[in-house]
Amino acid sequence: MAKAVLVDLRRCIGCRACQVACKRWNDREATETVLNSDPTLEWTNPPDLSPQTYTYVKFVKTGSGESLKWSFAKIQCNHCISPHCVNACPTTALKKTENGPVIYRKELCIGCGYCINACPFGVPKFDEENSVIEKCTFCSERLKEGLEPACVQACPTDTLVLMELDEAQRKATEAEARGLHTYGLHEVGGTSWIYISEVPFSELGFPRHSSAGPANQQLDILTKFVGTGIFVGGAILAITKLYSQRREEVAQSGGGD
Amino acid sequence: MSSNMDAFTTNRRDFLKLCAAVPAILSLPQTEDTFLGPKAFSKTVGEQKMDLYKIGRRVPSICVYCAGGCGVILTSVKGRVVEAEGDPYHPINKGSTCSKLAAYIQLVNSERRLLRPMMRTNPNKGVDEDPRWTYISWDQALEMISEKVVEAIETHSVVHDEVVGGNMVTNYYRAGKESPVMWHGSSYWNNEECYLGKKLISLLGSTNVEHQARKCHASTVAALANTFGFGAMTNHVIDAKNSKCFLIMSNPVESHTMEFKWVMEAKDRGAIIINLDPRFNRTSAKADIYAKYRSGAEASIFVGLIHLLVHEMPQYIDTDFVETRTNAPYDMNGNFLSDWMTNPNSVFSKLKALVMDYTPDEVERISGVKAEKLREIAQTFFSNKPSNIYYAMGTTQHTNATQAIRAQAILQLLLGNMGVPGGGVNALRGISNVQGSTDMNLLSHLIMGYRSPPRNLVDVRRYQKWKNSDPAKRPGGVEGGAIYSPADKIEERWDDRHFGTWLNLEHNWGMQIGTVPGMDPDNEPVVCDMPVGSGNATTQLFRAILDGKIKVAIIVGENNAVSNANANMIRQALSKLGVFTVVNEIFETETAHFADIVLPGTTRAEREGSITNTGRWVQWHWKASDPPGECMDELWFASQLFKRIRNKGFKMPSELSPYEFPANVDAVWPTPYTAELGETAEAVYKEIGHPTLWGNVLYKTSWDGDLRPDLGGVLAKRRDPRPVSDQDAQYGFHKNWAWSWMLNQRVLYNINEDPAGLKTFFVWWAHNQDVWLGLDRAAIWSRNLFQPDAPVWNPLHHGMPLHNEPLESPDEDLANRYPSMWDDRFPVVVGSSNDYPYVLTTFRLAEHMQAGAMTRNLPWLVEAQPEMFVEISPQLAAEIGVEIGDYVSVRTARNPTGIRVKVNVTERILPIRVNGRDVHVVAMPWHWGFKGLSTGPSANEITIDAVDVSANIPEVKTCLCDIVKD
């Protein structure tokens, strides 16, 4: 059965143990940062995902005065049930595993960037130096050994809890019934990282998406095949051109030897 | 000594080399069918990490940062730590961590660590002076240090003539305060190292010894010891889950993250969280009720809550508890009054009268907390018991802190929230072993277990009489838990409390304390190897350096150049020529920058010993890896240093006297158990906690060779989290996990704890000179903090708390009505509210630790909190014309030039209405300094070093400032 993580933002204290634990487990480097100057996002650092940052905690202030709220939301790959990135990837570098994680094999990655365009959440990030993408792996190697992802183990307040996908979906549905907001239950056909919050997700800057989004899915396939088609087509044209050029040269130089 | 410099590099190439250690069978990648056919993909970073993790050796340790006491599992391959995670088996953190512990491997493996001893070649010292370090050997370093120490001590007189009983006698002792040798640090050292450090400096005849605890919870000790008996957190970390309501005066989400795990657990069970803080922080974000207040008004809030309880909501007073376990039903002469609730002579009635004027309106005027909000807080806290107060620096670092904390304690006593799971006055200690280092009393006025050193020769003479007396006939009997008879005199009570420790230290430290030959103590010469008299507290110690009184300064694991209030004075002191400064550290810190010799210390991963968390749990940490480079562990350093000092001819007063004594200092250095256990942490642990020969009374029976011979008697090594009784299971005592003082009591003063350790209030007090009034009563009125000739605005006049303004108060009217009670024997530079109109306070971030000595060198933590900043409200920003990201100059009377800081404009901080007008509050983190990966100005360059009269703690948390656009 596929694994999922239920993210209950009501419990998140913004301690960033998850962010640092991920850096540690995945041997990521620190990036250069400065105090975040966006008043709504103050203290958020690093400010976004990157090849060296598979997850970060977003600090979001909403309301003011007596209703001032400071929310903390962990951002990472949501390991969608039907990932757009996997659809868009021309080389099958990205793969949805049975266990839940969407993994990627760098040897197959050609750095085309289709997954970057396709991802509804802006997750895969391009590593310029190595021309491959990088993103959260859901610690699939840890899951295989019966361990929790590094971030889930690190979380002091059980904001992140690993469970079966259907259980996570059930808990999120119950939360909705109680008037809480969820994210990842319906969006893009459902994801493996399902969030619960008292604060609406639009206020937390989470992108709005419909469920499934067939238009998007078709766009992925379109992108993949059209893009590949153009590449292959272009290659054929180039080879054909070279061939006919060569034939001309040979013809002009007086035939074969 | 070994040097494994080559083994110590941190780059990717070496990580991969380690991966070569993984056996082939494990490292084979798995094949997979792809559209290209079956393919074996190379391993991802995570998979490589997993391979190492599988073959690594696991060692349990305890975290180095806050005093939560979280368990760590260190995984090492070929002697190198490759992974450090929360210990899933540890009952406190259960595998989780805060961000700092999550980055632990970056600390242990840091390329920035000191690896070899260094000596300065630039004779000039200063912030802008390059020390021009040269590497030296440990041998050279120890030679130089011991030479300087012995040379300095030569000037410390031992022979003192005195006229006694009409005759001249010659006494032999060293006056502790006059010692030219100072020791400062460290709460990061484990118990065994702290014990040995205190033993060392005491053998050298000095009480000029201090460390972090003076600056953080000295006021807690003074307040709680005089109210309850012990000056520590009364409950423990996991106990929070038993609370129904929290009144949080501190910021545990950021400073004691794992404590908040247990607050959330309580919240899951319906608990309500109340938070008060001058600024809305990450703890406030989780509170049900948040109120901002002016920093410096803590006492008024708690005296105000007492007012509400006794005048408006008396139905919440636990009258049974108050009557049976406090001194509230007594009058000032020690008579029990059965009609104490109404009798005007009772302590209770005196308290009622005293707090009469602290109405919610008055508290609003002083603190900015709205009257209806204070009532809401009171109603919620009083009616949801057991309710729990958490506090830390926000309450402790003030000139009136002892009184503010007493007010918290009195409130909890009246509510009956003491000695129950889920209640308590919970002082959150800051550093991983600050509880232990305080228990080992690396302080100028105490020795081992909060006992007093000889204050004067009269004490020593009385001690000799006590030694001469028949133990069976001594009043009071056994230390710690026995029944005392009511008619005992105060003097005798003092003696029993302290002399038991002196006797054991004579044995353990090879000291001679008494008169010679001993039969006529009143008239014989005194020979005392224990230094006589208290020394200088930290604020005065650095001034003593400036005054030329200190010749050798040994600073270990502490960064005073950043962490002491008025840090520029500290830097001046450290720049003074003619003072030989030795710093033992793991990074080149701001303080190390001023040293003559810097010694490379070790991280907790590289040695073993026990440390004591904020909940008094004494836990063992095991060694996971060898120290890198030429780093040597701290126990070895302390032991070697004393041996070298002895080799250079240092003599004890008893040895300089003409008399012969059986005591032999060398035979018991480092411990009396060296022959049996070697020079190990276990040997020192045994010396500390032996059931009868204990070196530290609080820790007695922490060593029990009969109970756990498999652990060598070291109960701190116990790792069984299973409950031992129904109570244990219900409340989370974990009685077989490690050991807790005293006598494994988990919730102090809980007379129902099963099985019980020391469970009673242990306040040594009496109402007048002649009568001592029994055990197990907490002191609402404190005789020890009672000085009837003090002025009436001073709480000492009453023996019960009042509000007093900080030394730099923003409001003249309030300052006149509630004068500051600071210790004016130690002058400071004071500014007026005309020149410095804003209230300045400091705070901590979850990602950084104290003076930043460790965390500002770790990239993953610097990434999360990259730079120094100051937080101001949008209103103040508009007034001075700045936006987020601009720079400002923050100035105080101590530093009129000020420090240049980036500004963070946020509505999490707002003006506070004080005495009818808006006062701006300005707040900054204090973690930064001029060394490290991330540098910046230090907040303490502008804070105030005025101290509290009872605890000598500096008023770091509150002063006045001015801000202008830079």
Side-chain angles (χ1 to χ4, degrees), chain B residues 709-723:
Chain B
D710 57 312
L711 298 177
V714 180
L715 301 189
K717 289 186 180 179
R718 299 191 302 183
R719 281 174 60 84
D720 184 356
R722 294 170 301 179

Side-chain angles (χ1 to χ4, degrees), chain B residues 841-881:
Chain B
T841 190
T842 62
F843 61 89
R844 285 166 172 76
L845 299 165
E847 296 81 5
H848 284 296
M849 184 67 183
Q850 314 293 53
M854 293 185 282
T855 58
R856 276 186 298 109
N857 280 301
L858 307 190
W860 294 329
L861 298 176
V862 170
E863 180 182 44
Q865 290 283 14
E867 55 182 334
M868 175 61 172
F869 57 92
V870 58
E871 296 201 326
I872 66 175
S873 65
Q875 291 87 336
L876 181 57
E879 265 179 47
I880 62 175

Side-chain angles (χ1 to χ4, degrees), chain A residues 12 14 16 31 42 105, chain B residues 12 32 282 286 847 863 906:
Chain A
C12 182
R16 294 194 254 234
T31 58
E42 62 165 321
R105 285 73 60 87
Chain B
R12 187 110 188 89
E32 192 186 312
R282 281 181 263 194
K286 287 283 161 297
E847 296 81 5
E863 180 182 44
T906 172

Side-chain angles (χ1 to χ4, degrees), chain B residues 135-281:
Chain B
Y135 291 124
I136 56 176
S137 69
W138 270 99
D139 188 58
Q140 287 170 302
L142 289 168
E143 273 303 290
M144 270 189 272
I145 299 168
S146 49
E147 224 172 80
K148 291 282 186 187
V149 167
V150 171
E151 192 186 304
I153 293 181
E154 228 113 85
T155 64
H156 191 188
S157 58
V158 172
V159 182
H160 306 272
D161 288 332
E162 187 193 4
V163 176
V164 169
N167 298 317
M168 180 75 84
V169 295
T170 303
N171 302 313
Y172 297 86
Y173 66 91
R174 290 187 168 104
K177 191 177 249 182
E178 287 165 23
S179 173
V181 180
M182 129 186 176
W183 179 284
H184 219 294
S186 169
S187 320
Y188 292 101
W189 282 27
N190 62 35
N191 290 329
E192 293 70 30
E193 291 155 356
C194 288
Y195 181 88
L196 212 60
K198 176 69 173 184
K199 184 170 175 175
L200 167 61
I201 197 68
S202 303
L203 288 170
L204 295 182
S206 174
T207 50
N208 283 329
V209 48
E210 284 276 292
H211 75 294
Q212 286 94 335
R214 175 69 62 186
K215 298 177 280 190
C216 75
H217 273 284
S219 41
T220 290
V221 177
L224 300 188
N226 284 315
T227 309
F228 302 137
F230 294 117
M233 178 176 184
T234 63
N235 296 46
H236 61 96
V237 177
I238 293 173
D239 187 67
K241 70 178 182 177
N242 302 310
S243 302
K244 294 278 186 295
C245 181
F246 298 94
L247 179 46
I248 304 182
M249 296 298 291
S250 68
N251 189 359
V253 164
E254 306 206 45
S255 303
H256 295 91
T257 307
M258 207 51 62
E259 183 59 81
F260 215 81
K261 175 199 238 329
W262 297 101
V263 174
M264 289 300 281
E265 176 91 21
K267 192 171 166 126
D268 289 341
R269 301 176 187 190
I272 303 171
I273 302 173
I274 305 168
N275 171 244
L276 280 88
D277 202 287
R279 49 185 276 283
F280 187 98
N281 54 42

Side-chain angles (χ1 to χ4, degrees), chain A residues 9-21 23-40 42-46 50 52-54 59 61-66 68-72 90-93 95 103-108 134 137 140-145 147-148 150 152-159, chain B residues 12 15 30 32-36 39-42 44-47 49-50 53-54 83-88 94-99 101-106 253-254 257-258 260-261 264-265 268 279-282 285-286 290 373 843-847 859-869 871 884-885 902-908 910:
Chain A
L9 294 185
R10 294 173 298 167
R11 306 180 73 87
C12 182
I13 53 178
C15 72
R16 294 194 254 234
C18 54
Q19 175 179 310
V20 178
K23 292 255 170 180
R24 183 188 79 238
W25 181 261
N26 293 298
D27 201 31
R28 297 292 88 194
E29 281 169 18
T31 58
E32 279 228 31
T33 53
V34 293
L35 189 69
N36 197 317
S37 56
D38 181 334
T40 313
E42 62 165 321
W43 286 27
T44 304
N45 256 321
S50 72
Q52 294 298 331
T53 302
Y54 290 173
F59 286 47
K61 284 210 313 285
T62 55
S64 71
E66 288 290 313
L68 181 70
K69 274 188 93 64
W70 208 8
S71 302
F72 316 108
T91 64
T92 75
K95 175 180 158 166
I103 60 168
Y104 57 100
R105 285 73 60 87
K106 290 190 199 172
E107 289 104 308
L108 294 180
E134 294 274 11
T137 60
S140 62
E141 68 281 343
R142 287 178 63 103
L143 291 179
K144 281 198 198 129
E145 303 292 331
L147 297 173
E148 296 170 319
V152 174
Q153 178 176 320
C155 178
T157 57
D158 293 328
T159 300
Chain B
R12 187 110 188 89
F15 174 66
Q30 294 164 323
E32 192 186 312
D33 285 323
T34 72
F35 75 95
L36 296 171
K39 180 149 173 69
F41 293 102
S42 60
T44 64
V45 186
E47 286 166 340
K49 183 73 169 254
M50 179 54 85
Y53 186 69
K54 282 195 231 180
E83 170 70 350
E85 56 186 325
D87 181 349
K94 298 193 190 171
S96 59
T97 70
C98 70
S99 57
L101 180 52
Y104 198 35
I105 56 169
Q106 259 190 352
V253 164
E254 306 206 45
T257 307
M258 207 51 62
F260 215 81
K261 175 199 238 329
M264 289 300 281
E265 176 91 21
D268 289 341
R279 49 185 276 283
F280 187 98
N281 54 42
R282 281 181 263 194
K286 287 283 161 297
Y290 164 73
K373 187 71 111 175
F843 61 89
R844 285 166 172 76
L845 299 165
E847 296 81 5
W860 294 329
L861 298 176
V862 170
E863 180 182 44
Q865 290 283 14
E867 55 182 334
M868 175 61 172
F869 57 92
E871 296 201 326
I884 288 187
K902 189 183 248 192
V903 86
N904 186 30
V905 181
T906 172
E907 68 259 54
R908 291 183 294 100
L910 291 172

Side-chain angles (χ1 to χ4, degrees), chain B residues 615-823:
Chain B
R616 291 161 289 100
W617 285 20
V618 183
Q619 304 186 94
W620 195 260
H621 63 92
W622 279 266
K623 176 173 165 166
S625 55
D626 284 323
E630 291 171 36
C631 300
M632 295 300 293
D633 70 71
E634 288 61 15
L635 200 69
W636 177 89
F637 162 58
S639 177
Q640 289 299 306
L641 184 57
F642 187 66
K643 288 183 190 176
R644 299 260 184 157
I645 289 171
R646 284 292 275 176
N647 280 345
K648 296 239 177 293
F650 168 75
K651 298 239 181 297
M652 305 295 292
S654 55
E655 291 165 336
L656 291 169
S657 78
Y659 315 107
E660 291 289 324
F661 298 104
N664 181 348
V665 163
D666 299 310
V668 293
W669 181 267
T671 75
Y673 306 104
T674 308
E676 172 197 338
L677 296 168
E679 286 201 18
T680 60
E682 275 99 345
V684 184
Y685 181 95
K686 185 170 177 178
E687 179 180 335
I688 295 170
H690 192 278
T692 52
L693 295 171
W694 40 265
N696 188 319
V697 65
L698 285 184
Y699 285 66
K700 73 175 185 180
T701 75
S702 63
W703 185 90
D704 192 331
D706 293 328
L707 187 64
R708 292 302 296 265
D710 57 312
L711 298 177
V714 180
L715 301 189
K717 289 186 180 179
R718 299 191 302 183
R719 281 174 60 84
D720 184 356
R722 294 170 301 179
V724 306
S725 65
D726 289 336
Q727 246 198 39
D728 189 336
Q730 182 184 357
Y731 296 123
F733 294 149
H734 301 280
K735 288 279 208 177
N736 278 344
W737 184 277
W739 184 89
S740 172
W741 62 255
M742 266 189 89
L743 305 177
N744 208 24
Q745 182 80 3
R746 300 287 161 142
V747 175
L748 287 180
Y749 322 120
N750 178 7
I751 52 178
N752 298 314
E753 184 160 315
D754 169 38
L758 181 68
K759 55 192 178 175
T760 54
F761 289 116
F762 199 74
V763 185
W764 183 83
W765 57 271
H767 282 295
N768 59 40
Q769 285 295 334
D770 289 330
V771 177
W772 143 262
L773 270 166
L775 213 51
D776 199 31
R777 280 190 186 269
I780 288 185
W781 175 76
S782 168
R783 197 202 171 281
N784 294 337
L785 295 171
F786 177 60
Q787 290 164 25
D789 52 342
V792 95
W793 50 260
N794 189 326
L796 294 172
H797 175 89
H798 308 274
M800 288 184 289
L802 291 171
H803 172 70
N804 297 88
E805 280 290 298
L807 180 52
E808 285 190 341
S809 167
D811 189 281
E812 216 181 290
D813 176 39
L814 289 177
N816 287 331
R817 178 139 155 66
Y818 302 102
S820 166
M821 54 175 301
W822 66 295
D823 194 338

